[in-house]
């Protein structure tokens, strides 16, 4: 018999089974449902547009991963607002409950969104956090991170040439507090829902998008300022305007 790999062991040990209990999860404190940076500059985003636009079937047909961007393209704030909201914003509030644009196990929403703004109208280069509750951006670090983020993404040049890069993290205990070790499965499903929303929103606006799964985790965590344990980067996507169009 071969010894199970880390991935195989994770999959086996987080399976549901009749009469089988998953490993106990110890969480001392329930995480806050929203993450905010109250002491940094905050930039309110324009309201998203929720009418008109191309039909969903046409958008799905056109959806592609596009890696070659026009490095001179400047994304306007309205466009940025639209793709952020479509991918990971609040779609409605009813009876005190917020509903978002993606499905989340137990409505626990463990995913946080950070952005490296490279070329967006009215915003300086830097690392921002998306405040989902206020539909605003919080400027955490003001600097050009194009080279360091590209290096952390194993030299993929689309990071350097993009208008903006989305960096999604998970605050694991938000989901683990209810689902234990099974939560890790749900978290990765969830970020996939969000990324596909981003793809479709970009396609509808004639923008280019490409997801990145290959990156040096702790280098990305360091760039955005998270500890890599309670919260860690799990997925990245670049957005720009396709070159040659």
């Amino acid at each position: 018999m071969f010894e199970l790999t880390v991935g195989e062991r994770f999959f086996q040990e987080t399976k549901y089974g009749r009469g089988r209990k998953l490993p106990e999860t110890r969480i001392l404190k329930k995480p806050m449902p929203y993450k905010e940076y109250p002491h940094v500059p905050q930039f309110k985003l324009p309201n998203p547009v929720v009418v008109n636009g191309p039909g969903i079937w046409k958008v799905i047909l056109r959806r592609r991963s596009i890696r070659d961007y026009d490095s001179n393209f400047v994304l306007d704030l309205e466009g940025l607002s639209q793709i952020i909201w479509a991918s990971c914003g609040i779609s409605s509030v009813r009876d005190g409950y917020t509903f978002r644009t993606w499905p989340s196990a137990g409505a626990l929403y463990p995913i946080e969104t950070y952005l490296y703004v490279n070329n967006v109208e009215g915003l300086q280069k830097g690392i921002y956090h998306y405040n989902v509750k206020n539909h605003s951006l919080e400027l955490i670090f003001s600097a050009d991170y194009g080279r360091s983020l590209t290096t952390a993404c194993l030299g993929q040049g689309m990071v350097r040439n993009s208008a903006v890069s989305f960096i999604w993290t998970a605050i694991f205990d938000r989901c683990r507090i209810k689902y234990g070790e099974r939560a890790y499965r749900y978290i990765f499903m969830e970020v996939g829902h969000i990324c596909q929303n981003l793809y479709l929103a970009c396609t509808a606006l004639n923008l280019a998008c490409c997801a990145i799964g290959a990156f040096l985790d702790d280098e990305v965590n360091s760039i955005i300022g998270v500890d890599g344990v309670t919260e860690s980067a799990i997925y990245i996507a670049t957005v720009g305007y396709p070159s040659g169009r």
Side-chain angles (χ1 to χ4, degrees):
M1 291 289 292
F2 292 104
E3 184 178 350
L4 294 178
T5 67
V6 171
E8 290 168 337
R9 202 161 61 246
F10 160 75
F11 191 75
Q12 294 301 322
E13 292 183 9
T14 57
K15 282 183 176 179
Y16 279 148
R18 297 191 185 280
R20 180 175 184 269
K21 295 181 68 175
L22 294 184
E24 184 180 350
T25 298
R26 297 178 181 87
I27 299 175
L28 299 178
K29 183 180 179 182
K30 183 178 180 180
M32 297 296 291
Y34 293 98
K35 183 173 185 178
E36 298 182 90
Y37 291 81
H39 305 300
V40 303
Q42 188 168 129
F43 302 87
K44 186 69 177 171
L45 292 165
N47 291 331
V49 178
V50 295
V51 295
N52 301 325
I56 185 67
W57 312 122
K58 187 176 293 185
V59 171
I60 290 174
L61 185 66
R62 290 172 45 216
R63 191 215 63 80
R64 297 289 184 275
S65 290
I66 300 174
R67 296 168 173 80
D68 296 323
Y69 305 139
D70 178 354
S71 60
N72 296 314
F73 171 71
V74 179
L75 179 62
D76 60 44
L77 204 56
E78 288 76 16
L80 180 61
S81 172
Q82 195 73 17
I83 61 176
I84 292 175
W85 172 81
S87 60
C88 53
I90 292 175
S91 57
S92 65
V93 180
R94 292 200 298 261
D95 300 324
Y97 293 96
T98 59
F99 296 83
R100 306 193 193 181
T101 57
W102 77 95
S104 177
L108 296 171
Y109 302 112
I111 307 301
E112 292 289 329
T113 300
Y114 296 79
L115 299 98
Y116 166 53
V117 169
N118 183 43
N119 214 355
V120 175
E121 185 179 32
L123 295 179
Q124 56 189 299
K125 290 177 184 283
I127 301 297
Y128 294 74
H129 171 256
Y130 176 50
N131 185 318
V132 64
K133 186 166 64 172
N134 297 332
H135 190 56
S136 62
L137 293 178
E138 298 162 325
L139 176 59
I140 306 171
F141 305 116
S142 175
D144 186 342
Y145 288 90
R147 177 174 294 181
S148 58
L149 188 57
T150 299
T151 299
C153 291
L154 308 181
Q156 298 183 69
M158 57 186 170
V159 175
R160 185 175 55 252
N161 294 326
S162 67
V164 62
S165 294
F166 284 66
I167 304 166
W168 292 293
T169 69
I171 297 178
F172 300 105
D173 284 357
R174 279 189 193 155
C175 198
R176 290 176 72 226
I177 199 165
K178 181 173 183 178
Y179 296 109
E181 302 312 291
R182 183 84 176 186
Y184 290 96
R185 294 187 182 222
Y186 300 151
I187 285 167
F188 286 109
M189 293 175 195
E190 188 164 328
V191 77
H193 302 322
I194 292 171
C195 189
Q196 177 71 341
N197 278 354
L198 179 65
Y199 265 103
L200 296 178
C202 287
T203 302
L205 294 176
N206 296 313
L207 297 171
C209 179
C210 188
I212 296 175
F215 55 86
L216 301 174
D217 301 59
D218 286 336
E219 289 190 16
V220 174
N221 289 331
S222 177
I223 288 170
I224 63 176
V226 300
D227 62 17
V229 179
T230 61
E231 180 180 3
S232 185
I234 57 173
Y235 210 11
I236 296 173
T238 55
V239 174
Y241 187 77
S243 64
R245 292 193 184 181

